Amino acid sequence: KAAELIYGNVLEVGCGEGYGIPLLAPKAEKYVAVDKFQTNLDEYISQFPNVSFQQISVPPLPFEDETFDCVVTFQVIEHIEDDISMIKEMARVLKTNGLLILTTPNIKMSLTRNPWHVREYTVQELHELICKYFSENDMQGVYGNEKVMDYYIENRKSVRKFTRFDIFNLQYKLPRPLLQIPYDLLNRLNRRMLLKGNNKLVNDIKVTDYHTNKANNMCFDLLAIAKK
């Protein structure tokens, strides 16, 4: 979806290992990827001469006002302590009429608290946050077909086998750092159980089984397409 929309000078905030670059870089004149970790993007940089990488922690962003035509950031804002400053900074570095394309989990579809996330958003919460600094915001959502929903239902049943022991609701009461390692271990165990129990259900899901539409409480991720 982002590849259909981006143009000109593009900034990706939180590029991770750069798996989106082959889809996005060919659509851009200049593509600047930033991440808090020193990510090895040499393969992509050699393949796409318009790509560059900077290791930075955000916010702020070390760029001049109105530098970019588009900013993209996928599954990042939920990790940022000062999300208001992050949105403000992305608006600052965008040119007038520039686009922000942002995704983040929909809290209404989260099965447990993810202790690696500072927060998650409802449709309205994310819309209100972005509209503090953007004149337009089209709130889309990422949805799955029947096959994806079958997986989600099985995943929910499996997760509840673990969370039923949390009778004091500690996952929402304990500090996030205390929960991060147990969360990772149990999450991996749960996913292995799902794969072993229904290999076909897991392996049959493809990217084409997902689509975007207007956001509501039933989308897996929120997809904001905002104009400065």
Side-chain angles (χ1 to χ4, degrees):
K1 184 68 174 181
E4 295 172 3
L5 298 172
I6 64 169
Y7 62 93
N9 292 336
V10 177
L11 170 67
E12 181 176 4
V13 178
C15 64
E17 296 178 356
Y19 56 81
I21 290 176
L23 290 172
L24 299 177
K27 307 291 185 177
E29 294 177 20
K30 180 181 178 183
Y31 195 95
V32 180
V34 303
D35 200 275
K36 71 181 292 187
F37 299 108
Q38 182 56 53
T39 304
N40 184 4
L41 299 184
D42 290 349
E43 176 186 350
Y44 298 124
I45 292 172
S46 63
Q47 186 179 355
F48 303 102
N50 61 332
V51 173
S52 62
F53 172 76
Q54 293 186 37
Q55 182 184 9
I56 58 171
S57 293
V58 297
L61 292 167
F63 305 105
E64 297 294 328
D65 295 359
E66 302 197 354
T67 299
F68 298 97
D69 298 290
C70 301
V71 174
V72 297
T73 180
F74 308 116
Q75 314 301 92
V76 172
I77 193 73
E78 65 273 12
H79 298 276
I80 304 296
E81 291 283 352
D82 191 350
D83 55 348
I84 294 176
S85 292
M86 189 71 255
I87 296 295
K88 182 180 180 180
E89 277 291 277
M90 291 190 289
R92 180 185 64 78
V93 301
L94 274 170
K95 299 175 184 178
T96 301
N97 295 321
L99 285 182
L100 169 67
I101 303 171
L102 178 153
T103 68
T104 192
N106 175 14
I107 193 171
K108 294 294 186 180
M109 291 293 278
S110 293
L111 300 176
T112 60
R113 178 192 182 190
N114 185 333
W116 294 98
H117 295 171
V118 176
R119 81 198 64 73
E120 294 180 359
Y121 304 87
T122 65
V123 176
Q124 187 62 29
E125 286 169 347
L126 184 63
H127 180 69
E128 291 176 356
L129 172 65
I130 290 173
C131 285
K132 291 179 185 293
Y133 296 101
F134 287 82
S135 60
E136 300 177 24
N137 181 33
D138 179 15
M139 286 298 301
Q140 297 282 308
V142 179
Y143 298 85
N145 61 14
E146 184 177 349
K147 188 171 20 174
V148 175
M149 291 308 299
D150 286 344
Y151 174 82
Y152 176 79
I153 291 167
E154 290 302 314
N155 192 16
R156 183 172 61 192
K157 290 178 184 176
S158 185
V159 166
R160 285 176 177 171
K161 291 178 183 178
F162 295 99
T163 57
R164 62 186 170 143
F165 296 108
D166 184 15
I167 58 175
F168 297 110
N169 214 22
L170 295 179
Q171 64 170 307
Y172 294 102
K173 296 176 180 178
L174 292 176
R176 290 189 303 114
L178 290 179
L179 296 169
Q180 288 170 345
I181 292 177
Y183 173 87
D184 278 355
L185 293 173
L186 291 172
N187 191 38
R188 290 173 187 173
L189 176 61
N190 176 58
R191 288 177 184 253
R192 288 189 184 126
M193 288 170 54
L194 282 170
L195 180 62
K196 184 177 180 181
N198 199 329
N199 188 277
K200 187 174 188 302
L201 175 65
V202 176
N203 288 326
D204 275 0
I205 294 175
K206 312 296 181 187
V207 67
T208 50
D209 293 312
Y210 295 88
H211 63 278
T212 61
N213 210 330
K214 279 290 183 184
N216 63 34
N217 288 344
M218 295 299 292
C219 61
F220 292 108
D221 291 305
L222 306 176
L223 166 62
I225 304 170
K227 180 179 287 189
K228 180 177 174 181

PDB file of all heavy atoms in Angstrom, residues 148-169:
ATOM      1  N   VAL A 148      -7.119 -16.041   7.542  1.00  0.00           N
ATOM      2  CA  VAL A 148      -6.380 -15.293   8.565  1.00  0.00           C
ATOM      3  C   VAL A 148      -7.178 -15.252   9.864  1.00  0.00           C
ATOM      4  O   VAL A 148      -6.606 -15.407  10.960  1.00  0.00           O
ATOM      5  CB  VAL A 148      -6.074 -13.866   8.072  1.00  0.00           C
ATOM      6  CG1 VAL A 148      -5.424 -13.041   9.184  1.00  0.00           C
ATOM      7  CG2 VAL A 148      -5.183 -13.899   6.843  1.00  0.00           C
ATOM      8  N   MET A 149      -8.483 -15.058   9.763  1.00  0.00           N
ATOM      9  CA  MET A 149      -9.317 -15.011  10.960  1.00  0.00           C
ATOM     10  C   MET A 149      -9.345 -16.363  11.674  1.00  0.00           C
ATOM     11  O   MET A 149      -9.382 -16.414  12.901  1.00  0.00           O
ATOM     12  CB  MET A 149     -10.732 -14.564  10.596  1.00  0.00           C
ATOM     13  CG  MET A 149     -10.831 -13.117  10.151  1.00  0.00           C
ATOM     14  SD  MET A 149     -10.085 -11.932  11.306  1.00  0.00           S
ATOM     15  CE  MET A 149     -11.074 -12.211  12.783  1.00  0.00           C
ATOM     16  N   ASP A 150      -9.302 -17.451  10.917  1.00  0.00           N
ATOM     17  CA  ASP A 150      -9.234 -18.786  11.532  1.00  0.00           C
ATOM     18  C   ASP A 150      -7.963 -18.910  12.368  1.00  0.00           C
ATOM     19  O   ASP A 150      -7.983 -19.454  13.481  1.00  0.00           O
ATOM     20  CB  ASP A 150      -9.262 -19.879  10.460  1.00  0.00           C
ATOM     21  CG  ASP A 150     -10.641 -20.057   9.842  1.00  0.00           C
ATOM     22  OD1 ASP A 150     -11.630 -19.569  10.434  1.00  0.00           O
ATOM     23  OD2 ASP A 150     -10.725 -20.672   8.770  1.00  0.00           O
ATOM     24  N   TYR A 151      -6.860 -18.406  11.816  1.00  0.00           N
ATOM     25  CA  TYR A 151      -5.601 -18.434  12.566  1.00  0.00           C
ATOM     26  C   TYR A 151      -5.703 -17.574  13.822  1.00  0.00           C
ATOM     27  O   TYR A 151      -5.253 -17.964  14.897  1.00  0.00           O
ATOM     28  CB  TYR A 151      -4.440 -17.949  11.693  1.00  0.00           C
ATOM     29  CG  TYR A 151      -3.152 -17.811  12.463  1.00  0.00           C
ATOM     30  CD1 TYR A 151      -2.341 -18.918  12.712  1.00  0.00           C
ATOM     31  CD2 TYR A 151      -2.743 -16.584  12.977  1.00  0.00           C
ATOM     32  CE1 TYR A 151      -1.172 -18.805  13.439  1.00  0.00           C
ATOM     33  CE2 TYR A 151      -1.577 -16.452  13.705  1.00  0.00           C
ATOM     34  CZ  TYR A 151      -0.796 -17.566  13.930  1.00  0.00           C
ATOM     35  OH  TYR A 151       0.352 -17.448  14.668  1.00  0.00           O
ATOM     36  N   TYR A 152      -6.286 -16.387  13.676  1.00  0.00           N
ATOM     37  CA  TYR A 152      -6.421 -15.480  14.817  1.00  0.00           C
ATOM     38  C   TYR A 152      -7.236 -16.136  15.940  1.00  0.00           C
ATOM     39  O   TYR A 152      -6.871 -16.041  17.123  1.00  0.00           O
ATOM     40  CB  TYR A 152      -7.099 -14.188  14.360  1.00  0.00           C
ATOM     41  CG  TYR A 152      -7.388 -13.211  15.482  1.00  0.00           C
ATOM     42  CD1 TYR A 152      -6.386 -12.402  15.999  1.00  0.00           C
ATOM     43  CD2 TYR A 152      -8.669 -13.100  16.022  1.00  0.00           C
ATOM     44  CE1 TYR A 152      -6.649 -11.498  17.023  1.00  0.00           C
ATOM     45  CE2 TYR A 152      -8.938 -12.214  17.049  1.00  0.00           C
ATOM     46  CZ  TYR A 152      -7.925 -11.423  17.543  1.00  0.00           C
ATOM     47  OH  TYR A 152      -8.198 -10.542  18.563  1.00  0.00           O
ATOM     48  N   ILE A 153      -8.311 -16.806  15.588  1.00  0.00           N
ATOM     49  CA  ILE A 153      -9.162 -17.469  16.585  1.00  0.00           C
ATOM     50  C   ILE A 153      -8.393 -18.583  17.290  1.00  0.00           C
ATOM     51  O   ILE A 153      -8.466 -18.730  18.521  1.00  0.00           O
ATOM     52  CB  ILE A 153     -10.443 -18.006  15.916  1.00  0.00           C
ATOM     53  CG1 ILE A 153     -11.333 -16.827  15.490  1.00  0.00           C
ATOM     54  CG2 ILE A 153     -11.208 -18.935  16.858  1.00  0.00           C
ATOM     55  CD1 ILE A 153     -12.462 -17.217  14.563  1.00  0.00           C
ATOM     56  N   GLU A 154      -7.644 -19.382  16.523  1.00  0.00           N
ATOM     57  CA  GLU A 154      -6.849 -20.450  17.134  1.00  0.00           C
ATOM     58  C   GLU A 154      -5.752 -19.872  18.022  1.00  0.00           C
ATOM     59  O   GLU A 154      -5.462 -20.411  19.091  1.00  0.00           O
ATOM     60  CB  GLU A 154      -6.240 -21.341  16.041  1.00  0.00           C
ATOM     61  CG  GLU A 154      -7.248 -22.197  15.308  1.00  0.00           C
ATOM     62  CD  GLU A 154      -8.020 -23.117  16.247  1.00  0.00           C
ATOM     63  OE1 GLU A 154      -7.370 -23.757  17.111  1.00  0.00           O
ATOM     64  OE2 GLU A 154      -9.255 -23.179  16.140  1.00  0.00           O
ATOM     65  N   ASN A 155      -5.169 -18.777  17.581  1.00  0.00           N
ATOM     66  CA  ASN A 155      -4.136 -18.111  18.378  1.00  0.00           C
ATOM     67  C   ASN A 155      -4.727 -17.598  19.685  1.00  0.00           C
ATOM     68  O   ASN A 155      -4.124 -17.745  20.760  1.00  0.00           O
ATOM     69  CB  ASN A 155      -3.543 -16.959  17.568  1.00  0.00           C
ATOM     70  CG  ASN A 155      -2.280 -16.390  18.193  1.00  0.00           C
ATOM     71  OD1 ASN A 155      -1.666 -17.009  19.058  1.00  0.00           O
ATOM     72  ND2 ASN A 155      -1.888 -15.215  17.754  1.00  0.00           N
ATOM     73  N   ARG A 156      -5.907 -17.010  19.614  1.00  0.00           N
ATOM     74  CA  ARG A 156      -6.569 -16.492  20.815  1.00  0.00           C
ATOM     75  C   ARG A 156      -6.852 -17.622  21.809  1.00  0.00           C
ATOM     76  O   ARG A 156      -6.621 -17.474  23.013  1.00  0.00           O
ATOM     77  CB  ARG A 156      -7.867 -15.787  20.423  1.00  0.00           C
ATOM     78  CG  ARG A 156      -8.599 -15.145  21.592  1.00  0.00           C
ATOM     79  CD  ARG A 156      -9.759 -14.310  21.085  1.00  0.00           C
ATOM     80  NE  ARG A 156     -10.715 -15.145  20.351  1.00  0.00           N
ATOM     81  CZ  ARG A 156     -11.697 -14.662  19.599  1.00  0.00           C
ATOM     82  NH1 ARG A 156     -11.847 -13.346  19.464  1.00  0.00           N
ATOM     83  NH2 ARG A 156     -12.526 -15.459  18.972  1.00  0.00           N
ATOM     84  N   LYS A 157      -7.330 -18.756  21.314  1.00  0.00           N
ATOM     85  CA  LYS A 157      -7.595 -19.905  22.190  1.00  0.00           C
ATOM     86  C   LYS A 157      -6.298 -20.371  22.853  1.00  0.00           C
ATOM     87  O   LYS A 157      -6.265 -20.692  24.050  1.00  0.00           O
ATOM     88  CB  LYS A 157      -8.191 -21.054  21.385  1.00  0.00           C
ATOM     89  CG  LYS A 157      -9.602 -20.822  20.887  1.00  0.00           C
ATOM     90  CD  LYS A 157     -10.057 -22.015  20.062  1.00  0.00           C
ATOM     91  CE  LYS A 157     -11.431 -21.795  19.468  1.00  0.00           C
ATOM     92  NZ  LYS A 157     -11.820 -22.934  18.577  1.00  0.00           N
ATOM     93  N   SER A 158      -5.226 -20.418  22.074  1.00  0.00           N
ATOM     94  CA  SER A 158      -3.943 -20.887  22.589  1.00  0.00           C
ATOM     95  C   SER A 158      -3.385 -19.928  23.636  1.00  0.00           C
ATOM     96  O   SER A 158      -2.880 -20.354  24.678  1.00  0.00           O
ATOM     97  CB  SER A 158      -2.961 -21.052  21.426  1.00  0.00           C
ATOM     98  OG  SER A 158      -1.751 -21.602  21.877  1.00  0.00           O
ATOM     99  N   VAL A 159      -3.480 -18.628  23.366  1.00  0.00           N
ATOM    100  CA  VAL A 159      -2.985 -17.618  24.315  1.00  0.00           C
ATOM    101  C   VAL A 159      -3.743 -17.711  25.633  1.00  0.00           C
ATOM    102  O   VAL A 159      -3.156 -17.573  26.722  1.00  0.00           O
ATOM    103  CB  VAL A 159      -3.103 -16.210  23.706  1.00  0.00           C
ATOM    104  CG1 VAL A 159      -2.918 -15.133  24.770  1.00  0.00           C
ATOM    105  CG2 VAL A 159      -2.085 -16.021  22.591  1.00  0.00           C
ATOM    106  N   ARG A 160      -5.028 -17.965  25.569  1.00  0.00           N
ATOM    107  CA  ARG A 160      -5.840 -18.044  26.795  1.00  0.00           C
ATOM    108  C   ARG A 160      -5.459 -19.219  27.673  1.00  0.00           C
ATOM    109  O   ARG A 160      -5.725 -19.211  28.881  1.00  0.00           O
ATOM    110  CB  ARG A 160      -7.325 -18.100  26.426  1.00  0.00           C
ATOM    111  CG  ARG A 160      -7.861 -16.738  25.979  1.00  0.00           C
ATOM    112  CD  ARG A 160      -9.292 -16.788  25.531  1.00  0.00           C
ATOM    113  NE  ARG A 160      -9.772 -15.441  25.180  1.00  0.00           N
ATOM    114  CZ  ARG A 160     -10.933 -15.194  24.603  1.00  0.00           C
ATOM    115  NH1 ARG A 160     -11.763 -16.199  24.322  1.00  0.00           N
ATOM    116  NH2 ARG A 160     -11.285 -13.957  24.311  1.00  0.00           N
ATOM    117  N   LYS A 161      -4.824 -20.228  27.100  1.00  0.00           N
ATOM    118  CA  LYS A 161      -4.335 -21.344  27.906  1.00  0.00           C
ATOM    119  C   LYS A 161      -3.236 -20.880  28.857  1.00  0.00           C
ATOM    120  O   LYS A 161      -3.047 -21.452  29.930  1.00  0.00           O
ATOM    121  CB  LYS A 161      -3.803 -22.456  26.997  1.00  0.00           C
ATOM    122  CG  LYS A 161      -4.882 -23.161  26.194  1.00  0.00           C
ATOM    123  CD  LYS A 161      -4.278 -24.214  25.277  1.00  0.00           C
ATOM    124  CE  LYS A 161      -5.355 -24.880  24.424  1.00  0.00           C
ATOM    125  NZ  LYS A 161      -4.762 -25.876  23.486  1.00  0.00           N
ATOM    126  N   PHE A 162      -2.507 -19.836  28.434  1.00  0.00           N
ATOM    127  CA  PHE A 162      -1.456 -19.267  29.290  1.00  0.00           C
ATOM    128  C   PHE A 162      -2.012 -18.193  30.220  1.00  0.00           C
ATOM    129  O   PHE A 162      -1.714 -18.172  31.414  1.00  0.00           O
ATOM    130  CB  PHE A 162      -0.337 -18.668  28.421  1.00  0.00           C
ATOM    131  CG  PHE A 162       0.416 -19.663  27.593  1.00  0.00           C
ATOM    132  CD1 PHE A 162       0.112 -19.852  26.261  1.00  0.00           C
ATOM    133  CD2 PHE A 162       1.442 -20.410  28.150  1.00  0.00           C
ATOM    134  CE1 PHE A 162       0.807 -20.771  25.492  1.00  0.00           C
ATOM    135  CE2 PHE A 162       2.148 -21.331  27.393  1.00  0.00           C
ATOM    136  CZ  PHE A 162       1.833 -21.512  26.054  1.00  0.00           C
ATOM    137  N   THR A 163      -2.817 -17.296  29.675  1.00  0.00           N
ATOM    138  CA  THR A 163      -3.271 -16.144  30.458  1.00  0.00           C
ATOM    139  C   THR A 163      -4.294 -16.525  31.532  1.00  0.00           C
ATOM    140  O   THR A 163      -4.512 -15.751  32.467  1.00  0.00           O
ATOM    141  CB  THR A 163      -3.878 -15.070  29.540  1.00  0.00           C
ATOM    142  OG1 THR A 163      -4.953 -15.631  28.777  1.00  0.00           O
ATOM    143  CG2 THR A 163      -2.823 -14.511  28.590  1.00  0.00           C
ATOM    144  N   ARG A 164      -4.904 -17.700  31.446  1.00  0.00           N
ATOM    145  CA  ARG A 164      -5.879 -18.095  32.473  1.00  0.00           C
ATOM    146  C   ARG A 164      -5.229 -18.249  33.844  1.00  0.00           C
ATOM    147  O   ARG A 164      -5.903 -18.205  34.877  1.00  0.00           O
ATOM    148  CB  ARG A 164      -6.573 -19.402  32.081  1.00  0.00           C
ATOM    149  CG  ARG A 164      -5.637 -20.576  31.966  1.00  0.00           C
ATOM    150  CD  ARG A 164      -6.312 -21.828  31.449  1.00  0.00           C
ATOM    151  NE  ARG A 164      -5.355 -22.869  31.137  1.00  0.00           N
ATOM    152  CZ  ARG A 164      -5.570 -24.166  31.339  1.00  0.00           C
ATOM    153  NH1 ARG A 164      -6.722 -24.567  31.853  1.00  0.00           N
ATOM    154  NH2 ARG A 164      -4.659 -25.058  31.017  1.00  0.00           N
ATOM    155  N   PHE A 165      -3.897 -18.423  33.865  1.00  0.00           N
ATOM    156  CA  PHE A 165      -3.185 -18.552  35.141  1.00  0.00           C
ATOM    157  C   PHE A 165      -2.885 -17.185  35.763  1.00  0.00           C
ATOM    158  O   PHE A 165      -2.478 -17.113  36.917  1.00  0.00           O
ATOM    159  CB  PHE A 165      -1.880 -19.332  34.941  1.00  0.00           C
ATOM    160  CG  PHE A 165      -2.088 -20.744  34.495  1.00  0.00           C
ATOM    161  CD1 PHE A 165      -1.786 -21.126  33.189  1.00  0.00           C
ATOM    162  CD2 PHE A 165      -2.606 -21.691  35.364  1.00  0.00           C
ATOM    163  CE1 PHE A 165      -1.978 -22.429  32.780  1.00  0.00           C
ATOM    164  CE2 PHE A 165      -2.813 -23.003  34.957  1.00  0.00           C
ATOM    165  CZ  PHE A 165      -2.492 -23.375  33.654  1.00  0.00           C
ATOM    166  N   ASP A 166      -3.090 -16.123  34.991  1.00  0.00           N
ATOM    167  CA  ASP A 166      -2.826 -14.768  35.493  1.00  0.00           C
ATOM    168  C   ASP A 166      -4.086 -14.240  36.187  1.00  0.00           C
ATOM    169  O   ASP A 166      -4.717 -13.287  35.742  1.00  0.00           O
ATOM    170  CB  ASP A 166      -2.413 -13.854  34.328  1.00  0.00           C
ATOM    171  CG  ASP A 166      -2.019 -12.460  34.789  1.00  0.00           C
ATOM    172  OD1 ASP A 166      -1.782 -12.280  36.005  1.00  0.00           O
ATOM    173  OD2 ASP A 166      -1.966 -11.544  33.942  1.00  0.00           O
ATOM    174  N   ILE A 167      -4.427 -14.855  37.313  1.00  0.00           N
ATOM    175  CA  ILE A 167      -5.698 -14.545  37.976  1.00  0.00           C
ATOM    176  C   ILE A 167      -5.701 -13.157  38.609  1.00  0.00           C
ATOM    177  O   ILE A 167      -6.762 -12.594  38.869  1.00  0.00           O
ATOM    178  CB  ILE A 167      -6.037 -15.616  39.046  1.00  0.00           C
ATOM    179  CG1 ILE A 167      -4.928 -15.715  40.084  1.00  0.00           C
ATOM    180  CG2 ILE A 167      -6.318 -16.955  38.386  1.00  0.00           C
ATOM    181  CD1 ILE A 167      -5.248 -16.664  41.236  1.00  0.00           C
ATOM    182  N   PHE A 168      -4.509 -12.592  38.825  1.00  0.00           N
ATOM    183  CA  PHE A 168      -4.426 -11.253  39.409  1.00  0.00           C
ATOM    184  C   PHE A 168      -4.170 -10.172  38.350  1.00  0.00           C
ATOM    185  O   PHE A 168      -3.906  -9.021  38.681  1.00  0.00           O
ATOM    186  CB  PHE A 168      -3.327 -11.208  40.480  1.00  0.00           C
ATOM    187  CG  PHE A 168      -3.589 -12.109  41.648  1.00  0.00           C
ATOM    188  CD1 PHE A 168      -2.802 -13.240  41.834  1.00  0.00           C
ATOM    189  CD2 PHE A 168      -4.622 -11.843  42.536  1.00  0.00           C
ATOM    190  CE1 PHE A 168      -3.044 -14.093  42.909  1.00  0.00           C
ATOM    191  CE2 PHE A 168      -4.863 -12.684  43.618  1.00  0.00           C
ATOM    192  CZ  PHE A 168      -4.080 -13.816  43.798  1.00  0.00           C
ATOM    193  N   ASN A 169      -4.242 -10.578  37.078  1.00  0.00           N
ATOM    194  CA  ASN A 169      -4.076  -9.634  35.965  1.00  0.00           C
ATOM    195  C   ASN A 169      -2.735  -8.902  36.045  1.00  0.00           C
ATOM    196  O   ASN A 169      -2.638  -7.704  35.751  1.00  0.00           O
ATOM    197  CB  ASN A 169      -5.222  -8.616  35.952  1.00  0.00           C
ATOM    198  CG  ASN A 169      -5.596  -8.195  34.548  1.00  0.00           C
ATOM    199  OD1 ASN A 169      -5.325  -8.889  33.567  1.00  0.00           O
ATOM    200  ND2 ASN A 169      -6.216  -7.046  34.427  1.00  0.00           N
TER     201      ASN A 169
END
